[in-house]
Amino acid sequence: MNLKRFFVFFLLTVAMIAGVSACNSGGDRIVIGTKNFTEQVILGEILAQQIENKTSLKVDRRFNLGGTIICQQGMLSGDLDIYPEYTGTAYTTILKFPAIGDAKKVTEQLKQEYPRRFKLEWTAPFGFNNSFAMVIRGDDARKYNVQTLSQAAKYTPQWRAGFGFEFLNREDGFPGLSKTYNLKFADAPKVMDLGLLYRALTDKQVDLVAGNTTDGLIPTLDLVVLKDDRQYFPPYEAAPIVRQDTLRKHPELKQVLDQLGNTISEKKMQELNYRVDGKKEDVKQVVREFLQSK
C-alpha cells in the first residue's frame, strides 16, 4: 500500500515538474496580454485567433491585466509575448516624450526606440486611431450649444468630471489638458473604473468623462464627443507590440500579424466595441465573425 502511494506521488511530482518546465520554457505557446477595457480584449482576441488559425502555435490569453505600465512590465519580464498598444500612449507614457500631433514622427520614434531600449518590435497597425474623447451628455451639448473643448471650458466650473486613474495622472492626460483649455470643475475629478464612466454620465453622477473615440456606447446613449480644437492629444494608432526574442523563435508570426494591418477602421472598431459592450455578445464569437469576414 505504501509502495503504491509512493509510486502515485512520484508520478504526480514528475508531471508537475514537467508542467512547470514547459510553462517556463515557452515552447510553442504565445502569451498575449491586454489592458482592462473592452477594446483591448477584442484586439487581444483578434491576435489570439489569428495566430491559432494561421499557425500551429498555442495561445495563452492574459486579458484585463490593468494599465499600460503593467503590460509593459510583462513584456520586459518575458511574461507576455504580445500586447496591443497605442502609439501616443507609448510615446508619452513609456518613452516620456512630450505629446506631439505628428503621427509619422511618433511612429518613427517608436520604431527606433523600442528595439533599442526594450528589445520590442512594433508590427503593422490595425488601421484605426483611438484618441481620448471628452464626452458629455447630448442634452447638455444642446442646452449650452457646445461642440468643442474651448466652448465647454466656460461651463466646466459648474460640472463634475469622472476619469480613469491612468488618464488623471499620465503625461498626455488630464494635467496637460486642463492647462491647454484652462479647465476647472466644481469638485476634484472622480477616479472611476473605466467600465463605469458612461453609466455615471447618463445617471448624472458626473457631467464630463474621458472616454475613447471608438467606444461603441457613445452613439447609442446620445452622448457627444467634444472636439479637441487645440489639437492637444497626440495620435493613438493601435498596433501589436512583440518581443524580439519571440519573433526570433517564431519568425512565422511576423507575416501572420502583418496580415491584420489596416483591417480595422475606426467605424468598424466602434461597431465591434458596441457588440460586446452594448449588445453583450460573446467576444470570441464577435472576433470569429470579424476574421471570417476578412
Side-chain angles (χ1 to χ4, degrees):
M1 185 69 174
N2 288 337
L3 182 62
K4 184 177 180 181
R5 285 181 178 174
F6 174 81
F7 184 66
V8 171
F9 177 77
F10 174 78
L11 289 178
L12 288 172
T13 302
V14 170
M16 287 175 64
I17 292 172
V20 170
S21 189
C23 288
N24 289 339
S25 66
D28 292 334
R29 193 168 292 275
I30 303 299
V31 183
I32 298 176
T34 76
K35 305 182 199 183
N36 58 341
F37 57 95
T38 299
E39 179 169 297
Q40 280 275 301
V41 174
I42 293 172
L43 294 176
E45 185 61 31
I46 287 173
L47 292 169
Q49 290 193 27
Q50 174 76 353
I51 291 170
E52 289 171 337
N53 292 341
K54 302 290 185 178
T55 74
S56 60
L57 299 169
K58 304 296 182 184
V59 175
D60 280 348
R61 293 161 171 81
R62 297 186 188 174
F63 297 169
N64 287 303
L65 292 176
T68 302
I69 301 301
I70 292 175
C71 290
Q72 174 74 359
Q73 288 301 321
M75 295 289 283
L76 297 181
S77 67
D79 291 331
L80 301 178
D81 293 299
I82 306 171
Y83 90 101
E85 187 53 280
Y86 305 91
T87 54
T89 300
Y91 192 80
T92 57
T93 303
I94 301 299
L95 296 182
K96 305 296 183 184
F97 291 153
I100 59 172
D102 188 331
K104 185 177 179 181
K105 184 175 180 180
V106 168
T107 300
E108 287 175 353
Q109 284 282 89
L110 292 173
K111 288 190 172 183
Q112 289 176 13
E113 296 295 329
Y114 261 63
R116 184 177 68 83
R117 296 194 197 185
F118 312 125
K119 297 184 179 179
L120 303 177
E121 296 284 347
W122 285 78
T123 57
F126 290 107
F128 70 93
N129 182 69
N130 181 9
S131 182
F132 282 115
M134 299 300 104
V135 184
I136 62 174
R137 291 181 291 274
D139 286 346
D140 287 341
R142 291 183 287 271
K143 176 182 177 182
Y144 298 109
N145 191 29
V146 295
Q147 298 177 337
T148 69
L149 277 165
S150 293
Q151 292 170 340
K154 72 164 84 170
Y155 301 105
T156 55
Q158 308 166 35
W159 295 353
R160 297 154 299 168
F163 302 139
F165 175 80
E166 191 171 308
F167 178 78
L168 195 59
N169 295 280
R170 58 191 275 172
E171 179 69 27
D172 57 337
F174 178 66
L177 183 74
S178 63
K179 291 177 183 177
T180 300
Y181 289 98
N182 192 30
L183 298 179
K184 302 182 187 304
F185 293 97
D187 300 304
K190 293 182 180 180
V191 181
M192 307 186 71
D193 184 272
L194 296 177
L196 300 177
L197 288 174
Y198 293 131
R199 182 185 301 175
L201 185 59
T202 55
D203 288 347
K204 299 189 177 181
Q205 297 173 24
V206 293
D207 305 294
L208 180 147
V209 299
N212 298 98
T213 53
T214 56
D215 287 340
L217 293 176
I218 290 175
T220 65
L221 295 176
D222 186 29
L223 303 178
V224 171
V225 176
L226 296 170
K227 184 180 179 182
D228 177 19
D229 51 302
R230 297 184 184 176
Q231 298 182 324
Y232 166 73
F233 291 118
Y236 297 97
E237 296 176 339
I241 298 176
V242 190
R243 297 180 71 242
Q244 287 184 335
D245 281 350
T246 303
L247 289 174
R248 276 194 289 270
K249 291 176 185 175
H250 306 288
E252 70 272 27
L253 277 176
K254 181 70 167 60
Q255 181 180 358
V256 167
L257 295 177
D258 283 349
Q259 289 172 1
L260 295 172
N262 293 312
T263 59
I264 311 176
S265 66
E266 288 183 34
K267 184 177 179 181
K268 173 56 70 173
M269 193 68 244
Q270 194 173 59
E271 176 192 316
L272 297 175
N273 284 332
Y274 176 64
R275 288 183 62 182
V276 176
D277 265 341
K279 300 173 74 175
K280 306 302 180 185
E281 295 183 32
D282 178 67
V283 170
K284 289 190 176 183
Q285 182 60 31
V286 169
V287 167
R288 193 174 296 116
E289 292 175 9
F290 165 73
L291 289 176
Q292 287 173 352
S293 73
K294 297 297 177 184

